[in-house]
Amino acid sequence: VDDQYQIDVNRIEGAITRRTKAILPVHLTGCPADMSAINDIAEKRNLHVVEDAAQAVCAEVDGKRVGHLGIAGEFSFHPLKNLNGWGDAGAVVTNHKWLADKIAKWRNHGMKNRDEVEFFSYNERMHSTAAAVLNCLVGHAEDITEKRIANAALYDKLLLPMSRFVALPPRPKNKKQVYHTYVIRVLDGKRDDLQKFLLEEKGIDTKVHYPIPIHLQEAARHLGYRHGDFPNCERQSREILTLPVHQYLTEDQIVYVAESISDFFTSFVATKRNKF
């Protein structure tokens, strides 16, 4: 990954083999990957591009919405996502009718009509309750998005003076990030101490998305990756911390979070001075 937590486009071609069928960029945190470069590589190598836009409803790159920049894109409507249903839900979008028809069968046991099964598949239909909730929420997607963007912009402004201790991802102007999560990097090995301080001393809950890289998960052991194979990812997993950014936050609450982070590092610096 790069410093925006997105797939490093400079590493893609070196990973392509004769078995490669597609490139699957993940728009993590609601920040679009470099789709122009990815599509150029895919076209040159005759590969499909499938977008994982689970965290990126309403995100844009170069003025274009994510999800339709490859052969297909998927969105999540999990209860914790920006556009959230009541229960697990999601959608796949595509501009290709043949693929849309195939996906419609995939989600419903492979049935082409009530009586005929074309191929064996799964039951992946959205629950009616989730669909009803999403029908009500979808009209608010833009408002939700803009509120999260505003919250993130305020965090960026307040955390900038702490750049000695807190690193923010680059914010390219050609990308519209929707901030499913607001992820900072805490430097000097102080991530866990800061997280503990915020919860125990300030009552602020934070998360780590995610503490164990995919290639080091038990489920990926058969792929043969080891510590050191993806150093940027591994370093980030030790530094990243997710701050609250949801649309219900007030400006005062965001200021409180930022001031609490400042309090921690002010105390940290004072402690270091006293030691010497």
Side-chain angles (χ1 to χ4, degrees):
V1 292
D2 60 22
D3 289 339
Q4 297 176 66
Y5 318 128
Q6 307 307 312
I7 186 171
D8 186 344
V9 295
N10 297 313
R11 300 281 298 273
I12 293 176
E13 290 205 79
I16 295 172
T17 72
R18 66 179 63 183
R19 300 175 60 194
T20 305
K21 299 290 198 284
I23 303 171
L24 202 162
V26 181
H27 304 311
L28 199 68
T29 76
C31 174
D34 187 346
M35 292 304 298
S36 178
I38 291 169
N39 279 321
D40 286 345
I41 295 169
E43 183 176 359
K44 182 169 64 174
R45 296 299 195 108
N46 196 28
L47 300 172
H48 292 301
V49 175
V50 180
E51 294 176 83
D52 181 344
Q55 299 186 357
V57 172
C58 293
E60 298 179 4
V61 56
D62 296 321
K64 300 175 182 177
R65 286 282 170 97
V66 301
H68 75 282
L69 302 178
I71 192 172
E74 61 83 11
F75 295 93
S76 172
F77 307 133
H78 181 276
L80 295 181
K81 295 298 192 292
N82 295 15
L83 188 60
N84 55 311
W86 289 3
D88 273 324
V92 180
V93 297
T94 180
N95 289 326
H96 302 274
K97 186 178 186 306
W98 66 268
L99 184 54
D101 291 342
K102 182 100 173 181
I103 292 169
K105 295 170 188 172
W106 265 334
R107 75 187 175 114
N108 189 28
H109 300 295
M111 299 177 70
K112 65 189 233 179
N113 56 46
R114 185 184 181 278
D115 300 313
E116 296 179 84
V117 178
E118 188 171 311
F119 51 85
F120 290 121
S121 186
Y122 306 94
N123 177 9
E124 299 288 357
R125 294 165 297 189
M126 189 185 300
H127 193 280
S128 299
T129 303
V133 171
L134 287 164
N135 277 337
C136 294
L137 284 178
V138 70
H140 300 282
E142 297 290 348
D143 292 338
I144 292 170
T145 299
E146 292 306 317
K147 184 63 169 68
R148 284 174 172 261
I149 291 173
N151 289 347
L154 180 56
Y155 269 131
D156 282 358
K157 177 182 177 181
L158 295 172
L159 294 175
L160 187 61
M162 299 177 230
S163 58
R164 165 68 181 79
F165 305 104
V166 174
L168 303 178
R171 308 293 192 203
K173 292 184 178 180
N174 70 321
K175 294 184 179 183
K176 179 181 179 181
Q177 303 182 46
V178 296
Y179 298 98
H180 166 62
T181 49
Y182 183 90
V183 182
I184 64 174
R185 287 176 33 235
V186 183
L187 309 179
D188 288 336
K190 290 296 178 181
R191 191 270 308 278
D192 294 345
D193 292 335
L194 173 60
Q195 185 176 34
K196 182 179 179 181
F197 171 83
L198 290 176
L199 181 61
E200 296 182 357
E201 302 295 329
K202 301 294 185 175
I204 298 167
D205 194 14
T206 60
K207 302 294 181 187
V208 177
H209 295 96
Y210 302 87
I212 304 175
I214 291 174
H215 68 285
L216 298 179
Q217 295 282 357
E218 177 68 23
R221 178 177 290 185
H222 69 285
L223 298 175
Y225 293 116
R226 295 179 174 83
H227 280 281
D229 286 343
F230 298 96
N232 204 32
C233 171
E234 292 170 26
R235 175 176 57 83
Q236 288 178 8
S237 73
R238 297 188 296 268
E239 296 176 342
I240 52 176
L241 187 67
T242 301
L243 307 182
V245 74
H246 59 79
Q247 62 269 26
Y248 303 107
L249 287 172
T250 65
E251 184 172 313
D252 287 345
Q253 288 173 322
I254 295 171
V255 170
Y256 176 70
V257 173
E259 289 179 343
S260 298
I261 294 172
S262 178
D263 289 346
F264 172 82
F265 285 113
T266 299
S267 175
F268 169 63
V269 171
T271 301
K272 284 187 70 174
R273 285 174 179 163
N274 290 338
K275 283 185 178 181
F276 297 99

